[in-house]
Amino acid sequence: MKEKWDSRGAFVLAAVGSAVGLGNIWRFPIICYKYGGGAFLVAYIIALFLVGIPILILEFSLGAKMSASAPLSFKKINKRFTWIGWFALLIAFIIVTYYTVIMSWSANYLIHSVTLKWGSNPKTFFFGNVLHLTQSIEQTGRFVMPLIIGLVVIWIWIILSIWKGAKTVSKVVYVTVILPWIILIVLVIRGITLPGAIEGIKYYLTPNWSQLANLKLWQEAFTQIFFSLSVGFGVMIAYASFLPKKSDVVNNAFIIGLADAATAYVGGFAVFSVLGFYAEKMHVPISEVMKSGPQLAFITYPAIINNLPLPQLFGILFFLMLLTLAVDSAFSLVEAGVAGLQDTFNIKRGSANLLIAVVAILIGLIYTTGSGLYWLDIVDHFMSYYGLFFSALLETLVIAYFYRKKLKEYANSVSEIKIGFWWDIIVMFIIPIISIFLLVNSIIDTAHAAYGGYPRWAEIIAGWLPLILALIFAFVLSHFTNRREK
Ligand code: PFF
């Protein structure tokens, strides 16, 4: 008997938990600011409805109808397509190897919050004391013990959260999805009541409409939608496969898409209110304190925390929020892989969990060295700008031209909201065209110069090689899936 969610609520929470992650808090607000504030929001909402929700409908319908993980779902369409499911899972796996390292940094910072250990120079603390960052990618540096310990602890947490699959996840998400929301609301209230906050929020939201003519804005809006909704990784297919028969899929896709976007939007208030406060305090323009990604969470935020009343409490809340936001995204990536392995090999659940954890920790060790941040940066770029679109493109093409009618029939037979002709047009033309556009754009970007100014050889090792290996492994694993009588 295939495992099932405890309730519809558990499924919705788990899917929202996967979607809502680090991407919402540290990526969305910054690109929103960079590409015209309110204008970016408009583009983001268009991207959500134009590709995000339609592809969520696709993945939910596929997983629910086939009641199978990504590779087996594609196999049921045609054996020639099994590898596409595996490719998605392998990209997901590569992502989780570094996503968990970022969580390990957060775990370290959670502990540092107790004593505000970053002191008055959070930048030196992060790059020097925490990461032991080397001068360049050529110097490997040494393994950093606290990061390794953090990584192992995070993996234990992940494995325990998915130990019995959907059954365990159904319970865990009530805490790990709801808690960070509560903390986020607390942080927003704290943020907007600080002096200078309004200036920060103005920066975040004031629309610069001319940006809508900027192609980059659209590229970022669509990239963010794909990554943030966790589509194209086989995750939503696996999660939908644990739904009881006849569960609504269209309605759920709308709920999850909107909840994810809403969280990102609210996250912006938490980030920009405190940036406004900090800029005022330091007497500098906000643009100077704006940093994206790791810099924002591990340098700017600690600096801001230093200036708040009850800084320890604020630090603990912030890093606890990051960790609990990230953990459900991380275990969804693992769960999708476990489901794939179980559909293919006669492997016990516990063994599949452990196998993935051990291999992921071993790979993750690379990012715990002094040059880890550089490698993480390249791998992240290649997975989110190439692997993801490639996987989404393959997935939609197969569905659009080999299985669209049946899938639509299924979705409409179980869902309250019916999908119409618009969905066919989106899946057949719009998503493939946009994915190709994004892929070509990324290729042009890196053809000019290696990504991020790194040497070409590093880009080949950390960017192209994992993609090629993922393709090769996808074919090898699909051979095993196809041999099975399922
Ligand atoms: N959606 C997550 C975020 O925004 O941080 C990241 C993620 C989770 C991507 C799960 C992909 C995935 F399958």
Side-chain angles (χ1 to χ4, degrees), residues 16 19-20 24 28 41 44-45 48-49 53 181 204 225 228-229 254-268:
V16 169
V20 175
N24 299 59
F28 174 84
L41 271 183
Y44 190 72
I45 291 174
L48 173 69
F49 283 100
I53 293 178
W181 263 337
Y204 170 38
I225 277 290
S228 191
L229 290 184
F254 274 92
I255 294 176
I256 288 148
L258 290 170
D260 180 59
T263 312
Y265 180 68
V266 175

Side-chain angles (χ1 to χ4, degrees), residues 351-362:
S351 320
N353 288 341
L354 293 177
L355 176 71
I356 293 188
V358 169
V359 179
I361 291 175
L362 290 177

Side-chain angles (χ1 to χ4, degrees), residues 18-24 92 95 99 224 226-231 233 235 260 329-330 332-333:
S18 169
V20 175
L22 299 173
N24 299 59
I95 289 185
Y99 207 84
Q224 177 66 8
F226 276 103
F227 188 79
S228 191
L229 290 184
S230 311
V231 290
F233 299 96
V235 167
D260 180 59
S329 299
S332 73
L333 291 161

Side-chain angles (χ1 to χ4, degrees), residues 5-16 170 173-174 178 243 252:
W5 297 108
D6 281 359
S7 64
R8 175 173 178 193
F11 164 72
V12 170
L13 276 181
V16 169
S170 287
V173 285
Y174 280 93
I178 293 175
L243 279 168
N252 282 335

